[in-house]
Amino acid sequence: MSEVLIAPQPVQLPVMESFYTLQGEGYHNGKAAYFIRLGGCEVGCHWCDVKESWDASLHPQFTIEAIVKGALQHPGRLAVITGGEPLMHDLTDLTAALQQVGFQTNIETSGVYAVSGSWDWICFSPKKFKEPHPDIYSKANELKVIIYNKSDFEFAEEHAAKLQTDCQLLLQPEWSRHEMMLPQIIAYVKDNPKWRVSLQTHKYMNIP
């Protein structure tokens, strides 16, 4: 009796939204980018502006082929994988498929899960609500710390001390408190010039 072979199901990921815009913050600010926002997050930041992304089951599943096809509709070749917390998912197949057709792959992550996938740039944005996975410190290209109150400067320094010496260090005001915190960030960067200021320029420009 011959063995019946069952074809493997194609990899699918929960996609909350995908859109073509400009990267609005961090080291790659101002570049044209295709954003792929995956559903699912267990970090629980109270100031999160995409809380609707937290429950992965609420968002439709897309195959890798469909996600890449959507990205190819636009001229830019920078793909930014974000969330939610994208590393809740195994991103090996997605990054391989994107890179195969010429995309630079960037990720924005809180670093609480082990890194999967092949990345050209890893933006590590740690949160106080959940401890990062240890392997993020040797892999992050950029540390972007959200400054909500004064104690976050010490939090930023604690993480910076664990990173590779060539990691880019950025401080970004939490949007709802940017008028209060930005002057403190400017003063801090002037006194500690290893840091740079990151602003959510997409909100100033009123684009997604």
Side-chain angles (χ1 to χ4, degrees):
M1 184 176 180
S2 61
E3 183 180 354
V4 177
L5 297 177
I6 300 175
Q9 293 296 312
V11 174
Q12 294 187 319
L13 293 167
V15 179
M16 175 186 164
E17 60 181 347
S18 54
F19 52 94
Y20 187 59
T21 184
L22 302 184
Q23 170 60 280
E25 58 192 65
Y27 184 82
H28 291 280
N29 176 43
K31 294 182 179 180
Y34 186 75
F35 277 77
I36 302 164
R37 186 182 303 282
L38 301 180
C41 186
E42 298 174 342
V43 180
C45 304
H46 63 86
W47 38 257
C48 177
D49 56 4
V50 282
K51 288 187 171 83
E52 59 272 29
S53 71
W54 291 4
D55 187 348
S57 69
L58 298 179
H59 305 294
Q61 297 280 332
F62 286 83
T63 63
I64 303 300
E65 181 182 6
I67 295 172
V68 174
K69 184 178 180 180
L72 286 169
Q73 302 307 304
H74 307 279
R77 288 297 175 265
L78 169 60
V80 180
I81 315 302
T82 186
E85 174 40 66
L87 288 177
M88 284 186 69
H89 312 282
D90 185 345
L91 301 177
T92 304
D93 291 343
L94 176 59
T95 54
L98 286 165
Q99 290 178 341
Q100 188 174 19
V101 293
F103 279 90
Q104 175 180 334
T105 55
N106 291 16
I107 188 170
E108 298 180 350
T109 176
S110 63
V112 300
Y113 299 99
V115 175
S116 62
S118 173
W119 301 102
D120 295 294
W121 191 265
I122 296 176
C123 174
F124 168 41
S125 185
K127 306 298 186 292
K128 290 180 176 178
F129 317 103
K130 203 171 178 69
E131 195 73 17
H133 191 282
D135 79 345
I136 191 68
Y137 295 105
S138 64
K139 297 180 178 179
N141 304 105
E142 169 186 351
L143 173 68
K144 183 178 68 183
V145 179
I146 308 304
I147 304 297
Y148 185 81
N149 55 45
K150 194 171 183 178
S151 68
D152 291 327
F153 291 109
E154 182 179 354
F155 175 75
E157 293 289 0
E158 289 172 358
H159 287 288
K162 301 176 183 179
L163 292 160
Q164 302 293 309
T165 55
D166 60 348
C167 186
Q168 301 294 317
L169 306 178
L170 293 97
L171 300 172
Q172 178 172 297
E174 196 279 320
W175 179 252
S176 70
R177 292 166 60 85
H178 72 278
E179 291 183 4
M180 179 187 302
M181 299 313 300
L182 186 55
Q184 296 184 47
I185 294 173
I186 292 170
Y188 192 87
V189 171
K190 288 168 72 175
D191 289 338
N192 300 273
K194 67 180 181 181
W195 292 93
R196 292 170 51 192
V197 177
S198 173
L199 296 175
Q200 292 181 291
T201 59
H202 56 293
K203 294 191 175 182
Y204 290 98
M205 293 186 286
N206 196 30
I207 60 175

